[in-house]
């Protein structure tokens, strides 16, 4: 194993700062090397290696500390983040790892990790946030069920407004603009024109009456393919 010992060794790094050394140490131990040999390669004191593996007993100056567990990224590809992935993210966040480092270790895009933390973190009363993996998993599971009810079908007022304007032969683009002008401070009344088209055309899921498709200016009851 090729490991480059850090050049600046005059300043004490502390347990939480020796992340590279600790990961390399546990990899060498898994390969069957002795504690002294692994510590020599990584560049740490043999007492530090034993403390990482066995923990630290309490004395007059320091409190007792449990053994350090090696951080091993979950294996296996999956489209969605799993419970093991979220636990790994939480562990690395406590170690002050960067988003890009976590993404590289999990084989994910940095935007995926950043979005996961932003959407599923728990925000306290003082604005301080915590990432709790099991709560994040529960939130992700709650959002995943399909098919989801559409926005138009869940809002009778929005549905009535769109139906009335379709009866007047308004286009979906005009309806969406009218919604923004009529209800500027009500986001639940804002939709894009694609949402209206989906409600009309998607069979079995359409929230608007199928006969309202005749009110479209094109007069089509089905979408026209645009693929080249």
């Amino acid at each position: 194993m090729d490991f480059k010992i850090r050049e600046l060794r005059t300043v004490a790094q502390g347990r939480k700062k020796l992340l590279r050394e600790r990961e390399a140490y546990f990899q060498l131990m898994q390969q069957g090397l002795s504690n002294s040999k692994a510590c020599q390669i990584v560049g740490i004191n043999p007492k530090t290696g034993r403390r990482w593996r066995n923990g630290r007993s309490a004395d007059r100056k320091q409190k007792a500390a449990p053994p350090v567990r090696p951080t091993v990224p979950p294996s296996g590809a999956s489209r969605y983040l799993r419970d093991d992935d979220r636990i790994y993210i939480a562990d690395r966040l406590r170690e002050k790892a960067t988003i890009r480092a976590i993404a590289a270790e999990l084989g994910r895009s940095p935007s995926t990790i950043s979005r996961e933390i932003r959407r599923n973190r728990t925000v306290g009363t003082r604005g301080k946030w915590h990432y709790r993996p099991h709560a994040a998993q529960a939130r992700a599971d709650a959002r995943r069920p399909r098919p989801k009810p559409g926005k138009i079908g869940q809002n009778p007022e929005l549905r009535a407004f769109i139906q009335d304007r379709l009866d007047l032969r308004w286009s979906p683009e005009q309806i969406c603009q009218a919604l923004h002008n009529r209800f500027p401070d009500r986001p639940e009344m804002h939709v894009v024109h694609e949402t209206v088209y989906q409600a009309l055309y998607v069979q079995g899921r359409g929230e608007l009456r199928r006969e309202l498709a005749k009110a479209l200016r094109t007069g089509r009851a089905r979408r026209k393919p645009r693929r080249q």
Side-chain angles (χ1 to χ4, degrees):
M1 177 180 179
D2 296 332
F3 182 83
K4 184 178 180 181
I5 301 176
R6 54 187 169 87
E7 298 179 358
L8 181 61
R9 299 179 55 82
T10 57
V11 180
Q13 297 294 303
R15 173 184 168 185
K16 293 186 178 180
K17 297 296 184 179
L18 298 175
L19 298 180
R20 291 178 57 252
E21 286 84 350
R22 190 179 69 188
E23 293 175 0
Y25 170 80
F26 280 114
Q27 290 179 5
L28 293 171
M29 292 298 294
Q30 291 176 358
Q31 295 175 9
L33 273 69
S34 64
N35 176 73
S36 58
K37 185 62 176 179
C39 292
Q40 180 182 359
I41 296 175
V42 176
I44 59 175
N45 192 291
K47 292 182 179 180
T48 303
R50 287 193 294 269
R51 190 182 303 120
W52 283 345
R53 290 188 296 115
N54 305 323
R56 183 181 63 229
S57 302
D59 54 24
R60 296 181 179 179
K61 296 182 180 180
Q62 294 178 328
K63 298 180 179 179
V68 178
R69 302 302 180 188
T71 55
V72 180
S75 59
S78 175
R79 178 183 176 186
Y80 303 104
L81 290 175
R82 300 164 299 182
D83 196 22
D84 292 341
D85 297 321
R86 291 183 167 91
I87 293 175
Y88 185 79
I89 292 173
D91 291 340
R92 297 294 281 137
L93 287 176
R94 284 193 294 269
E95 296 172 352
K96 307 300 182 181
T98 63
I99 299 295
R100 291 188 177 276
I102 299 174
E105 293 164 1
L106 290 176
R108 303 277 183 171
S109 170
S111 61
T112 300
I113 305 302
S114 176
R115 182 169 56 249
E116 163 65 22
I117 297 172
R118 185 178 65 255
R119 295 180 69 185
N120 294 327
R121 64 187 179 183
T122 302
V123 181
T125 55
R126 298 183 179 180
K128 187 177 181 180
W129 61 270
H130 305 275
Y131 182 79
R132 307 184 187 282
H134 298 294
Q137 183 69 37
R139 292 178 183 178
D141 293 339
R143 287 195 299 264
R144 187 173 300 172
R146 297 292 190 276
K148 291 185 177 180
K151 187 174 183 178
I152 296 176
Q154 291 180 305
N155 191 333
E157 183 182 3
L158 175 62
R159 175 176 175 174
F161 185 95
I162 295 175
Q163 287 183 346
D164 292 342
R165 296 325 186 264
L166 286 175
D167 287 337
L168 298 175
R169 300 188 66 80
W170 285 27
S171 68
E173 289 81 356
Q174 289 177 315
I175 296 173
C176 296
Q177 186 62 40
L179 285 169
H180 281 271
N181 295 335
R182 179 72 67 85
F183 311 101
D185 300 326
R186 296 181 58 187
E188 70 275 8
M189 293 294 292
H190 298 169
V191 294
V192 297
H193 61 272
E194 176 64 22
T195 303
V196 180
Y197 282 116
Q198 288 288 336
L200 285 168
Y201 286 142
V202 179
Q203 297 188 19
R205 285 180 46 198
E207 290 90 1
L208 298 173
R209 295 194 302 270
R210 293 285 296 174
E211 58 267 21
L212 288 178
K214 301 176 182 178
L216 295 176
R217 294 178 178 180
T218 60
R220 299 192 190 99
R222 297 180 60 188
R223 276 195 152 169
K224 184 177 180 180
R226 299 293 182 180
R227 185 173 300 173
Q228 296 293 333

